[in-house]
Amino acid sequence: MNSDRAAGATPAMAQWFQAKADYPDALIFFRMGDFYELFFEDAEAASAALDIALTARGTHQGEPIAMCGVPVSQRDTYLTRLIRRGFRVAVAEQVEAPEAAKARGGKALIERAVVRLITPGTITEEALLDQGRASLLLALVPRAGRIGAAWLDVSTASFETADLAGGELAALLGRLDPAEILSGADIELGAHEGRRTDPGPPPAAELARRDLARLFDVASLDAFGAFTDQEAQAAAVALRYVERSQAGTLPRIARPVRAGETGLMAMDAATRASLDLLRTADGGEAGSLFGAVRRTVTAAGARMLAGWIAAPLDAIGPLRARQAGWQSLLDAPGTLAALRTSLRGAPDLARALARLGLAGRKAGRLSPRDLGQVRDSLAAARAVAEGLAPAVAADPAHPLADDLAKLAAGPELGPLLEAALVETPPARIGDAPAIRAGFDGELDGERRLRDDTRQVIAALQTELASRYGVASLKVRHHSQLGYVLEAPAAAVEALRAFPELILRQGLASAARFTHPELSDLDRRIAEAHERAAAREALVLDHLLAAVMREEAALAECAAALARLDALQSAATLAESGRWCAPELSEDAAFSIIAGRHPVVEAALPAGTRFIANDADLSPERRLMLLTGPNMAGKSTFLRQNALVIILAQAGLPVPAEQARIGLVDRLFSRVGAADDLAAGRSTFMVEMIETASILNQAGPRSFVIIDEIGRGTGTRDGLAIAQAVLEALHGSIRCRSIFATHFHDLVQLGAALPRLRPCTMRVKSWRGSVVFLHEVIEGAAERSWGVHVAKLAGLPEPVIRRADALLRAAERGGGEAGALPLFAAAGEDPAPPAELLAADGWHAALAEADPDQLSPRAALELIYAWRRKFLGDRADGAVEKQ
């Protein structure tokens, strides 16, 4: 703690300064009664981010203390907004009740301590999580020219590592899209820079290995696989950070799995960005591939489907297993409909299990609602199993047999939770009853005493009146004596005979006695609330222990439910009949019949038909050169074929009538580019860097789509670069590729490149207008139709006419673009042809004059010459009398 700054602080503010010293990079949510309050610079930052009033509370060192606060009841709402804005928040709670502080005497200060550091990558709270999106924390450690990576999702306990070459990091970042990255400044994060948190130096490799072995209770980390030193260090960094975020308690984390990129189709960051796989540039799901194909009904299923799309496979066995899974549902429409119904609304078992795992390690974190989610998930699993069982039982090799077996988790746990928990358990213990009446007799008794005092007193009064033979005996409550027995005066002498009855007060017509059972009742009623709460907590702890005993089986059940949801999503997508299961092979095949762009098609207005196109990149015609005007659909065609590959290698149906695809090991997309001002790169430089990445990494099994290479520089340079890239794709790389260009001269390369196939977008002229048909046909474009596109864009009509005239002149002259008379109007105007001034032969001269090659001034002089010659105009424009 900064002693100079904290000097003179009040006891409560001294607690705040200590918390701030322990968590200097976090906002301190400081609990004071019914509010979380923020002070000094934290208050200023939170006030601006949350748009709440900034006030002041007292002074410190002669200056007002800036302060803002949020109600405890609305904590999660405000925390969500802060976390999504990139803040880290340390929650300092009152760790003792005010009564306990009073019991210490005087004005003892309530103890407070940071119980949770909430950061974008360590969120476990249900209210703060994006339900359909993984929340990954990624740790990176460079060592010996390579980078160790470890990523985990605290909300589901998954944990993976990889050992990367430096050039592989961008692709990993694009695939994982982590919420938070633990890394020093020596690692370049590109577009993910804003998610960096510097965790400090990593532990030494041997210390990291010992720490991990201790945390997972194994003799050596080698029990889980052969991890490199940098992987072990990255894993230790991630776990230490998570442990600190939970104030010293490590939540349940699955054993680390060495992932790497084996078995996955590689895509670099530029390719992912250009294809909008999971989200668009503005971060929304709408307009992305995931948004167009998602038909899941659970959050866990959506996360699994997103994972499949983000990491397509390059392994034919797992892909065929996924295909077989959703095709088996498609073949049984009744089973598919029942599965959707059973899954709809099923809780997120994986995340509930992770939170319960943390609750088992840290007192006060148990949420009865999470136990309710386990109960409801098991009920959903039973319903799903009942729906699948008839079809699966008939076929021992059914593709869903393993999933069905995993749904049988906790056969005794489900009935236990159903008997124990109320229908809608509260989020926090004490907010409302969590245990059903009738489950625990002792708890029921405490509740009756707490909630039904009158009935308890009435029952005791009846019992005592019968015992002492005084029918008019009453139980009363006295402000000073507590509960007493009040008897009429006539019965006092008889009651004195009972030693347990002590006369405490005599009245004119009655007397009051104390009784041990009444004293005990008084004490029990006063303590009933605390005892009921303690008993309920004990019962909940018993249920938690029962859940944790089934932890491994429940985790498998959660994975099976998520997978079944992802598979039914695929089957539902294919149910329309316009999506097919692609035929996958390990050769270089690529044949798409009537393929469509899934995102564009989904965005079309109702009743509008997407124009489907074939694509054949067989080995003997593996390079398609695509020409055609802007706005005709070239970019859409390029992207749709890349998206078909991603869907196929995610194991999903594809938007086509028929598809045969040889597995792609690397997919490259260079479609569209923009300046990278932060790195000082022009559009052309970005284009060349992306092209270099393709040429240096692509191989025969890769698939490449390229749009308009060379447009960012001079015509001759651009054409030369485009031709050189085409030749490399055809000759040395020999991959399947679609190359779109406006350089029509490249079509002539067909003679030199035998596997190049020229295609174009079909365009039709109709009554002076141009119609783009969005069809891909073999051949070359006759022209670019750029002037027509400019007209559609709204350029002024005089500019359009001038551009059209210049273009026609160039086409007639056969010259290059540089030969266009673009600047003729700015130079000296040619004199009118002398022949026009002669009396004879003016018809021939007029026929030879080309209006398209005359500047406006030359044309005007020509008109004047005609008027002078044939109408007798004078210099002042007057016409001579004939």
Side-chain angles (χ1 to χ4, degrees):
M1 179 169 58
N2 188 327
S3 56
D4 293 339
R5 190 180 181 199
T10 64
M13 288 309 301
Q15 290 178 331
W16 183 89
F17 276 114
Q18 182 61 59
K20 190 64 178 176
D22 293 339
Y23 298 91
D25 298 328
L27 302 180
I28 308 298
F29 254 43
F30 196 71
R31 177 75 177 268
M32 298 191 79
D34 293 333
F35 281 82
Y36 288 103
E37 297 187 356
L38 299 98
F39 301 104
F40 298 104
E41 61 273 15
D42 287 4
E44 294 171 358
S47 172
L50 299 175
D51 193 23
I52 57 178
L54 180 67
T55 60
R57 176 195 287 271
T59 61
H60 177 67
Q61 296 182 348
E63 297 291 333
I65 300 175
M67 187 272 288
C68 69
V70 301
V72 170
S73 60
Q74 299 181 43
R75 184 193 85 148
D76 289 346
T77 299
Y78 288 104
L79 281 177
T80 300
R81 291 167 62 184
L82 289 172
I83 296 303
R84 288 180 179 173
R85 288 173 177 262
F87 289 98
R88 303 162 77 240
V89 180
V91 180
E93 293 284 4
Q94 297 174 175
V95 293
E96 66 173 349
E99 293 77 12
K102 290 179 182 178
R104 296 203 306 270
K107 296 183 178 179
L109 183 67
I110 297 173
E111 289 294 327
R112 295 180 177 87
V114 173
V115 299
R116 176 83 168 89
L117 175 65
I118 304 176
T119 73
T122 60
I123 299 172
T124 59
E125 292 79 359
E126 183 178 14
L128 307 183
L129 287 164
D130 184 337
Q131 296 305 309
R133 181 176 179 181
S135 179
L136 295 177
L137 174 71
L138 171 66
L140 301 172
V141 173
R143 179 185 171 99
R146 297 185 68 81
I147 297 175
W151 59 95
L152 55 85
D153 188 336
V154 182
S155 71
T156 60
S158 65
F159 191 16
E160 297 181 73
T161 72
D163 182 79
L164 309 170
E168 297 174 324
L169 177 59
L172 181 72
L173 291 173
R175 175 164 71 88
L176 298 180
D177 191 22
E180 187 174 6
I181 302 170
L182 305 179
S183 164
D186 53 343
I187 295 181
E188 174 62 45
L189 300 181
H192 293 80
E193 181 62 40
R195 304 182 191 182
R196 185 198 305 268
T197 296
D198 192 340
E206 274 308 308
L207 178 59
R209 289 180 179 276
R210 287 200 301 270
D211 278 358
L212 292 168
R214 174 181 55 82
L215 289 171
F216 290 102
D217 196 25
V218 293
S220 169
L221 186 60
D222 293 339
F224 300 142
F227 295 88
T228 64
D229 285 347
Q230 54 266 32
E231 282 179 286
Q233 289 175 291
V237 166
L239 291 179
R240 287 184 176 186
Y241 187 77
V242 170
E243 188 174 33
R244 185 165 186 264
S245 77
Q246 304 294 337
T249 302
L250 187 67
R252 181 187 76 91
I253 299 293
R255 67 178 182 85
V257 175
R258 198 155 190 266
E261 297 292 323
T262 304
L264 299 181
M265 183 180 74
M267 286 185 285
D268 58 24
T271 296
R272 292 179 181 276
S274 74
L275 295 177
D276 294 331
L277 299 185
L278 302 183
R279 277 165 293 281
T280 58
D282 62 4
E285 180 184 311
S288 68
L289 176 63
F290 176 62
V293 304
R294 182 170 69 87
R295 302 292 186 273
T296 54
V297 294
T298 69
R303 291 198 303 273
M304 181 163 285
L305 180 64
W308 290 358
I309 291 173
L313 301 177
D314 182 19
I316 203 159
L319 284 174
R320 287 177 174 167
R322 283 184 193 171
Q323 279 191 352
W326 63 259
Q327 284 182 299
S328 70
L329 293 173
L330 195 61
D331 294 339
T335 301
L336 175 59
L339 177 60
R340 284 183 63 85
T341 301
S342 300
L343 285 172
R344 193 180 301 278
D348 198 331
L349 178 57
R351 284 184 167 173
L353 196 60
R355 288 190 294 270
L356 290 171
L358 179 60
R361 293 164 169 81
K362 189 166 186 176
R365 291 296 293 273
L366 174 59
S367 169
R369 181 178 295 169
D370 290 331
L371 290 172
Q373 291 189 350
V374 174
R375 174 200 62 191
D376 297 343
S377 296
L378 290 174
R382 288 196 300 274
V384 168
E386 290 172 2
L388 291 178
V392 175
D395 180 7
H398 197 283
L400 301 181
D402 287 345
D403 297 298
L404 180 62
K406 292 175 182 177
L407 297 178
E412 299 177 359
L413 182 61
L416 173 65
L417 294 176
E418 288 174 358
L421 296 170
V422 298
E423 183 176 351
T424 307
R428 288 180 291 272
I429 297 176
D431 286 356
I435 301 301
R436 192 185 297 274
F439 179 74
D440 182 77
E442 186 174 338
L443 175 59
D444 290 343
E446 298 294 355
R447 283 176 173 171
R448 282 196 300 271
L449 189 60
R450 181 195 66 193
D451 302 332
D452 304 323
T453 304
R454 289 183 180 180
Q455 290 85 342
V456 172
I457 292 173
L460 181 59
Q461 176 179 288
T462 301
E463 195 272 330
L464 292 176
S466 175
R467 183 190 306 175
Y468 297 118
V470 180
S472 57
L473 198 67
K474 304 294 182 185
V475 175
R476 308 286 191 194
H477 187 270
H478 190 274
S479 60
Q480 294 178 338
L481 301 177
Y483 284 99
V484 296
L485 280 174
E486 188 173 287
V492 171
E493 288 304 320
L495 293 175
R496 282 178 178 270
F498 295 96
E500 67 271 20
L501 293 174
I502 300 173
L503 181 64
R504 297 299 303 273
Q505 191 176 38
L507 303 173
S509 59
R512 291 172 178 160
F513 296 84
T514 59
H515 187 283
E517 291 186 35
L518 287 177
S519 299
D520 183 58
L521 175 65
D522 199 3
R523 177 183 57 79
R524 285 167 54 207
I525 289 175
E527 297 174 356
H529 188 280
E530 288 77 10
R531 285 199 312 275
R535 181 64 185 178
E536 184 172 76
L538 187 64
V539 174
L540 289 170
D541 284 341
H542 167 72
L543 297 177
L544 173 61
V547 169
M548 288 297 99
R549 285 194 294 271
E550 300 285 346
E551 179 181 8
L554 288 173
E556 288 195 344
C557 179
L561 287 171
R563 183 172 184 271
L564 286 168
D565 190 20
L567 292 176
Q568 73 78 21
S569 173
T572 301
L573 190 66
E575 200 173 20
S576 67
R578 303 193 69 229
W579 294 63
C580 71
E583 179 187 346
L584 301 175
S585 63
E586 294 180 310
D587 55 19
F590 188 84
S591 174
I592 309 296
I593 305 300
R596 308 184 309 279
H597 192 300
V599 181
V600 174
E601 183 177 48
L604 291 176
T608 305
R609 184 175 65 91
F610 185 92
I611 305 300
N613 279 295
D614 299 346
D616 182 2
L617 299 179
S618 305
E620 67 278 4
R621 51 195 302 165
R622 60 180 177 242
L623 178 56
M624 179 189 292
L625 179 63
L626 183 62
T627 57
N630 289 313
M631 300 285 294
K634 294 195 305 298
S635 295
T636 297
F637 180 74
L638 291 171
R639 287 189 173 96
Q640 80 181 38
N641 285 286
L643 296 180
V644 163
I645 290 172
I646 290 170
L647 290 172
Q649 295 192 214
L652 303 174
V654 300
E657 290 183 6
Q658 185 179 336
R660 184 171 187 272
I661 298 173
L663 293 190
V664 171
D665 64 347
R666 288 177 174 270
L667 177 65
F668 295 94
S669 169
R670 211 230 64 78
V671 181
D675 292 334
D676 184 356
L677 298 179
R681 296 169 177 169
S682 67
T683 301
F684 181 64
M685 175 57 78
V686 171
E687 177 184 299
M688 289 298 99
I689 290 173
E690 293 177 2
T691 304
S693 175
I694 294 172
L695 299 179
N696 289 324
Q697 297 181 68
R701 292 185 55 234
S702 301
F703 193 96
V704 176
I705 60 171
I706 292 181
D707 191 14
E708 309 225 17
I709 283 289
R711 64 180 175 180
T713 186
T715 302
R716 292 185 179 86
D717 285 351
L719 179 59
I721 292 170
Q723 178 172 337
V725 171
L726 260 181
E727 291 172 350
L729 291 172
H730 182 279
S732 57
I733 298 174
R734 304 186 306 282
C735 64
R736 291 159 288 182
S737 180
I738 305 176
F739 191 106
T741 184
H742 278 296
F743 295 131
H744 298 172
D745 292 345
L746 294 175
V747 174
Q748 301 172 14
L749 292 174
L753 306 178
R755 292 174 179 81
L756 182 146
R757 179 173 63 116
C759 291
T760 188
M761 305 304 300
R762 188 178 171 203
V763 178
K764 187 174 183 179
S765 295
W766 176 255
R767 296 182 178 178
S769 297
V770 177
V771 179
F772 295 149
L773 300 177
H774 305 292
E775 294 179 10
V776 178
I777 59 174
E778 294 205 25
E782 298 177 358
R783 55 187 297 188
S784 293
W785 302 101
V787 174
H788 175 70
V789 175
K791 182 178 181 181
L792 292 177
L795 265 65
E797 187 62 29
V799 175
I800 295 298
R801 288 198 304 270
R802 175 63 174 158
D804 188 60
L806 293 171
L807 179 62
R808 291 176 184 278
E811 289 173 346
R812 278 194 299 271
E816 298 180 0
L820 286 171
L822 296 175
F823 305 103
E828 292 187 5
D829 289 326
E835 301 91 321
L836 291 177
L837 301 180
D840 299 324
W842 70 272
H843 288 90
L846 180 59
E848 293 177 6
D850 189 347
D852 290 335
Q853 291 187 355
L854 293 175
S855 70
R857 182 176 175 182
L860 186 61
E861 289 293 342
L862 195 59
I863 293 173
Y864 283 150
W866 288 348
R867 291 184 66 88
R868 286 194 299 271
K869 179 66 177 175
F870 300 110
L871 299 181
D873 284 1
R874 296 192 301 272
D876 61 2
V879 180
E880 294 183 358
K881 300 292 184 181
Q882 297 297 320

